[in-house]
Amino acid sequence: MKIVAKQRLRQKVVVLGGGYAGMMAALRLAPYARVTLVDPSDRFTERVRLHELAAGRPEVSHSRAQMLRGTGIEHLAARATALDPAARAVHTDCGRTLLYDRLVYALGSHTDPRGAAPGATPAATAGPTPTAWGRAFTAESAPALHKRLLDGPGALAVVGGGLTGIEMAAELAESHPEWEVRLLTGGEIGGGLSARGRAHVRTVLDRLHVRVEEGRRIADADSVDADAVVWTTALRATDGLARDAGLDTDPPPCLKGTGVPPSGRIRVDAALRSVSHPDIYVAGDAAAARAPRAGALRMACATALPTGAHAAGAIIAESRGAEPEPLSFGFFVQCVSLGRHDGLIQPVRADDTPRERVLTGRPAARVKEQVVRSTVRFLKLAARRPDAIRLIPGVG
Ligand SMILES: Cc1cc2nc3c(=O)[nH]c(=O)nc-3n(C[C@H](O)[C@H](O)[C@H](O)COP(=O)(O)OP(=O)(O)OC[C@H]3O[C@@H](n4cnc5c(N)ncnc54)[C@H](O)[C@@H]3O)c2cc1C
C-alpha cells in the first residue's frame, strides 16, 4: 500500500532522445521518478564511432534493453512527433500520447544536410532511415558510405576541417588505401587545436596520403569533383519539435534575420530549463547551454553526458522543493582519433582553448579508445549508481 502511494507521489518524467544525454538523464532520474524514454531505436548508438562504422567496424551500438535492465525505465520505441507544452503532452508516431510533469528534451543533432544536398531540409537526416544523396554522405549515413567504399575505388572528398572531418578522413584513408582521399576546408584544418596539435594532424594525414586543401570554401557537394563526398561541416540541433511548439531557439530573437546562422539549439537558463518553457529541461546538443568556467558549450559527447546528468539532478532537486543548482562544467581535453594506430590528445583550458602540450602517436590512440569506452561505462555505472555523476570528467 505504502509503495503504491509512493509511486503516485513520484513525478512523471518523459525523456526525449536516447543518445548520450537522454540515456544519462533517464538513468540518473530512475530511482526518483517514473521515467519514460522515447527513442525509435532498441539500440544505443555510440555516435562518436560513426566514422569507424563508415570504415568497416561491424558494430557501434548496444542493446538498450540490456542497458536499462533493472532500472524501472520504460523505453517507448517510437519517434516523438509533436510537443504540446500547454497540455504537458508528447505525441508519438506509435499513436501513444505521453503526459509529463517534467520533460527532458535530448534529441541531439545531425549534420546539416543542405550542403550535402542542395534543397534538402534540415530535418532530412533526422528521419528514421539515415539518408545518402547520390554520391554525398554524412556521418549519419555511415553504413551507406561503407557500402560505397566497398563498391570500388575512386576519389573521395571529405568536406570540413573540424575534428569530425579530420577523424573521418584519417579513418577512411587508413582503412581504404585504394581510395584517393582529400580533405577540403574553408579555413585551416583543426582550427581549435594548438600549433603542435595541428602539426601532428598534418603529419599523420600526410602519412596516410590524405591531400589537404585549405582555403577552399565549398558551397555544396555538387560543386566537388569526386566519386564520393562526405559532408561534415555544420551540426544542427534536431529542433523541429521545439520550434513547432514555440520554444525559444538559437539565435535569440534580437539576432533573428541578421544572417547569424541558426544552430537550432534551445535557449536555456543556468540550470538547463528552457527559457520560454521552464518545465522543459534541455540536455546535450539540443541545448544552447553555458557554464561560468566554460562559456558556451560546444556540441559534444563530452558535454552531453554532464548536461544529461545535470538536467536530471535539477529535476530531482526541484521535486524536493529546492532551487536547482546552475551547471558547473569546464572542458579539460579534446581527444582525436587519427585512424586506429595514431591520435591526438589535446589538453585544453576550462574554456576549451588549447594548451601547447599534446600527446600523440599510439599512446594517444590508446587513450582516445579508453575515453570512448568510458562513455558507455559511465552510462552502465549510472544504471547501478545514479550518483556516479561526480566521476564524469569536467563536472563540478
Ligand atoms: C563521427 C563523429 C565523431 C564524433 N566524435 C566526438 C568525440 O570524439 N568527442 C565528443 O565529445 N563528441 C564527438 N562527436 C559529437 C557527439 O557524437 C555528439 O555531440 C553527441 O552524440 C550528442 O549527444 P546527444 O545525446 O545530445 O545527441 P545524440 O547522440 O544525437 O542522440 C539523440 C537521440 O535522439 C533520438 N531522436 C532524434 N529524433 C527523435 C525523435 N523525434 N523522437 C525520439 N527520439 C529521437 C536519436 O535517435 C538519438 O538516439 C562526434 C560526432 C560524430 C558524428
Side-chain angles (χ1 to χ4, degrees):
M1 197 64 181
K2 258 187 187 161
I3 293 174
V4 174
K6 205 172 161 194
Q7 281 284 97
R8 281 212 193 101
L9 280 177
R10 291 182 350 152
Q11 55 178 347
K12 278 185 281 185
V13 181
V14 172
V15 178
L16 295 186
Y20 297 98
M23 284 289 279
M24 179 53 91
L27 289 165
R28 180 144 196 250
L29 275 162
Y32 307 95
R34 281 178 287 158
V35 180
T36 304
L37 174 71
V38 183
D39 190 293
S41 178
D42 59 4
R43 310 280 302 172
F44 165 76
T45 296
E46 288 189 78
R47 195 171 159 208
V48 301
R49 288 197 194 271
L50 286 181
H51 57 301
E52 296 179 48
L53 189 67
R57 189 184 173 106
E59 187 54 87
V60 298
S61 69
H62 305 260
S63 155
R64 210 182 283 284
Q66 249 172 40
M67 292 176 79
L68 299 180
R69 183 166 299 149
T71 61
I73 297 169
E74 180 199 7
H75 171 221
L76 181 63
R79 183 164 288 277
T81 49
L83 192 57
D84 182 347
R88 289 190 175 173
V90 174
H91 301 283
T92 66
D93 65 359
C94 72
R96 246 178 90 181
T97 295
L98 302 165
L99 301 179
Y100 59 82
D101 298 306
R102 290 289 176 271
L103 182 78
V104 178
Y105 188 110
L107 295 183
S109 66
H110 50 272
T111 313
D112 191 332
R114 284 172 293 190
T121 62
T125 46
T129 314
T131 325
W133 293 270
R135 61 191 182 105
F137 302 84
T138 63
E140 291 79 14
S141 55
L145 171 57
H146 179 58
K147 190 171 169 305
R148 175 65 191 93
L149 293 172
L150 293 181
D151 278 349
L156 174 81
V158 177
V159 180
L163 300 186
T164 307
I166 290 170
E167 289 197 328
M168 186 68 86
E171 197 81 34
L172 299 184
E174 184 186 81
S175 59
H176 292 81
E178 69 283 11
W179 279 77
E180 198 182 290
V181 181
R182 283 183 298 153
L183 178 57
L184 315 180
T185 177
E188 62 175 346
I189 52 162
L193 299 171
S194 64
R196 279 189 193 173
R198 271 197 306 278
H200 183 67
V201 167
R202 279 175 199 285
T203 304
V204 178
L205 290 177
D206 194 44
R207 196 173 69 219
L208 293 170
H209 305 293
V210 176
R211 204 167 86 212
V212 174
E213 297 178 21
E214 294 175 315
R216 292 275 318 265
R217 290 226 164 269
I218 312 287
D220 54 57
D222 284 355
S223 54
V224 181
D225 180 20
D227 299 301
V229 178
V230 189
W231 196 263
T232 73
T233 55
L235 283 182
R236 202 192 146 84
T238 308
D239 62 344
L241 248 63
R243 266 185 298 114
D244 292 350
L247 272 69
D248 264 10
T249 56
D250 178 57
C254 61
L255 289 180
K256 279 182 182 150
T258 61
V260 173
S263 71
R265 302 174 95 184
I266 298 169
R267 297 178 61 226
V268 292
D269 68 10
L272 302 181
R273 288 174 289 214
S274 152
V275 293
S276 56
H277 296 77
D279 45 8
I280 298 178
Y281 283 79
V282 193
D285 287 359
R290 303 183 65 83
R293 285 182 297 138
L297 303 194
R298 66 182 151 85
M299 292 189 190
C301 175
T303 52
L305 288 172
T307 53
H310 187 86
I315 291 173
I316 297 164
E318 232 193 347
S319 70
R320 292 173 174 161
E323 181 55 26
E325 302 265 324
L327 174 70
S328 173
F329 174 81
F331 291 98
F332 70 104
V333 76
Q334 291 181 12
C335 303
V336 190
S337 66
L338 299 167
R340 292 299 86 205
H341 310 291
D342 209 319
L344 171 70
I345 304 301
Q346 170 71 73
V348 295
R349 299 180 190 87
D351 65 357
D352 212 24
T353 52
R355 298 180 187 277
E356 208 38 52
R357 288 175 68 121
V358 292
L359 177 69
T360 60
R362 273 183 193 270
R366 279 198 286 272
V367 171
K368 165 80 187 192
E369 176 58 26
Q370 287 310 316
V371 168
V372 172
R373 284 185 194 189
S374 72
T375 59
V376 179
R377 283 196 203 118
F378 275 126
L379 291 173
K380 290 185 174 162
L381 189 63
R384 296 197 306 276
R385 287 178 45 200
D387 288 332
I389 175 188
R390 285 180 207 89
L391 303 175
I392 298 176
V395 170

